[in-house]
Amino acid sequence: MPEPRFTDIRHFDSIDSTNRYLLDEARAGAPGGVVAVADHQSAGRGRLGRRWEAPPGSNLLMSVLLRPDLPAEQRHLASAVVALAATEAVLTTQGLELGIKWPNDLQASDGRKVAGVLAEADLTGAEGSELPPVVVGIGINVNWPATDQDLPPELVGVATSLRQLVGRPVDRSALLDALLAALDPRVEALESAAGRACQAADLASRCTTVGTRVRVELSEGWFEGTATQVTAEGHLVVDAGGVARTVVAGDVIHIRPGS
Ligand code: BTN
């Protein structure tokens, strides 16, 4: 049996950002497998430069440092395995099935967001290992919001929590343990082409975006179409008026019929 990978788990009552912390640790040569978990983040980072906020002691805010031996075009799979492990952990601990909205949001069956994933890599000055580091952070709405009244008006109908979905408080530490247990074999799988193909297939099968009409927001503009496929690299293929466009990075909004 190989040694479990995630044994170095560093807990913080408060920190600016667990992603920032592990990126600094990576630059100083920390090995793959280090985990940072915070009760509160004062400058939590979201995708596309947004902030990620949660009241102290309510949600699961964590990052893992990985040094996966991945071909450049499959780097996206490092964040996919964290999203997949999180859906697995929610299923095993809560009996609740979540979907993955491309690229990495966990969402409830009604489309409300339950968790977001942010992968960050900084290749400058990496020392101590030939494999480049990637830090994958995930924020899971575990016990906040407890009700819609906790949310700012613009997030009502957009975000929810495990507590709201299962109707009782949820144990964050059991969820963390289940997530790391599910993540270990998935990170191992990234080391082989067959394992990577499996992770990509898992992502495709849980991806709620395929078959949905979407608005794709890119740095240079936006377009609409129907998502048709998640490729083996984890990219999204969108049929935009008969032209297949492959989206490597960007934000996707699911367009509900009639909206
Ligand atoms: C998103 O915008 O959907 C991604 C949010 C990712 C938030 C998590 S919380 C733990 C980790 N540390 C951060 O600063 N961000 C990620």
Side-chain angles (χ1 to χ4, degrees):
M1 279 284 277
E3 290 289 305
R5 190 177 310 258
F6 301 112
T7 51
D8 185 353
I9 304 173
R10 305 180 189 175
H11 289 267
F12 299 88
D13 290 341
S14 187
I15 195 170
D16 52 348
S17 156
T18 53
N19 267 30
R20 193 281 309 155
Y21 169 77
L22 282 186
L23 280 167
D24 282 354
E25 289 296 291
R27 281 185 208 108
V34 182
V35 181
V37 188
D39 252 11
H40 181 245
Q41 295 183 127
S42 55
R45 302 176 182 177
R47 294 184 58 245
L48 307 174
R50 297 179 190 130
R51 292 286 295 264
W52 187 263
E53 318 257 12
S58 55
N59 288 348
L60 185 54
L61 310 169
M62 60 173 287
S63 305
V64 291
L65 169 56
L66 304 176
R67 291 188 181 270
D69 192 2
L70 275 174
E73 67 282 5
Q74 293 198 313
R75 291 228 174 95
H76 177 85
L77 288 176
S79 48
V81 292
V82 172
L84 285 165
T87 58
E88 208 176 322
V90 169
L91 184 61
T92 52
T93 61
Q94 309 303 318
L96 179 69
E97 192 101 44
L98 296 177
I100 299 179
K101 171 177 165 282
W102 193 90
N104 293 132
D105 281 359
L106 268 57
Q107 60 173 194
S109 56
D110 62 6
R112 284 180 296 169
K113 177 162 172 165
V114 178
V117 174
L118 174 67
E120 296 184 89
D122 181 351
L123 311 184
T124 56
E127 287 164 19
S129 166
E130 68 278 16
L131 293 175
V134 53
V135 171
V136 187
I138 182 165
I140 306 180
N141 297 343
V142 179
N143 290 309
W144 182 89
T147 72
D148 278 356
Q149 284 167 343
D150 292 343
L151 287 170
E154 67 275 15
L155 289 184
V156 174
V158 174
T160 187
S161 67
L162 297 180
R163 178 179 181 156
Q164 277 193 290
L165 293 168
V166 300
R168 56 181 156 71
V170 169
D171 182 344
R172 286 183 297 155
S173 131
L175 186 65
L176 168 66
D177 290 348
L179 193 159
L180 293 176
L183 185 58
D184 200 331
R186 290 188 182 277
V187 169
E188 182 72 36
L190 294 180
E191 304 296 323
S192 71
R196 291 194 288 272
C198 249
Q199 301 309 305
D202 276 4
L203 176 64
S205 74
R206 283 174 181 73
C207 183
T208 52
T209 305
V210 173
T212 305
R213 192 142 180 91
V214 291
R215 177 185 161 106
V216 181
E217 305 205 321
L218 307 166
S219 46
E220 67 274 16
W222 61 272
F223 69 93
E224 287 186 5
T226 301
T228 55
Q229 189 199 343
V230 174
T231 67
E233 292 76 37
H235 303 154
L236 186 70
V237 182
V238 176
D239 176 349
V243 179
R245 295 184 63 170
T246 300
V247 186
V248 175
D251 223 20
V252 153
I253 296 167
H254 289 188
I255 303 172
R256 298 193 182 127
S259 66

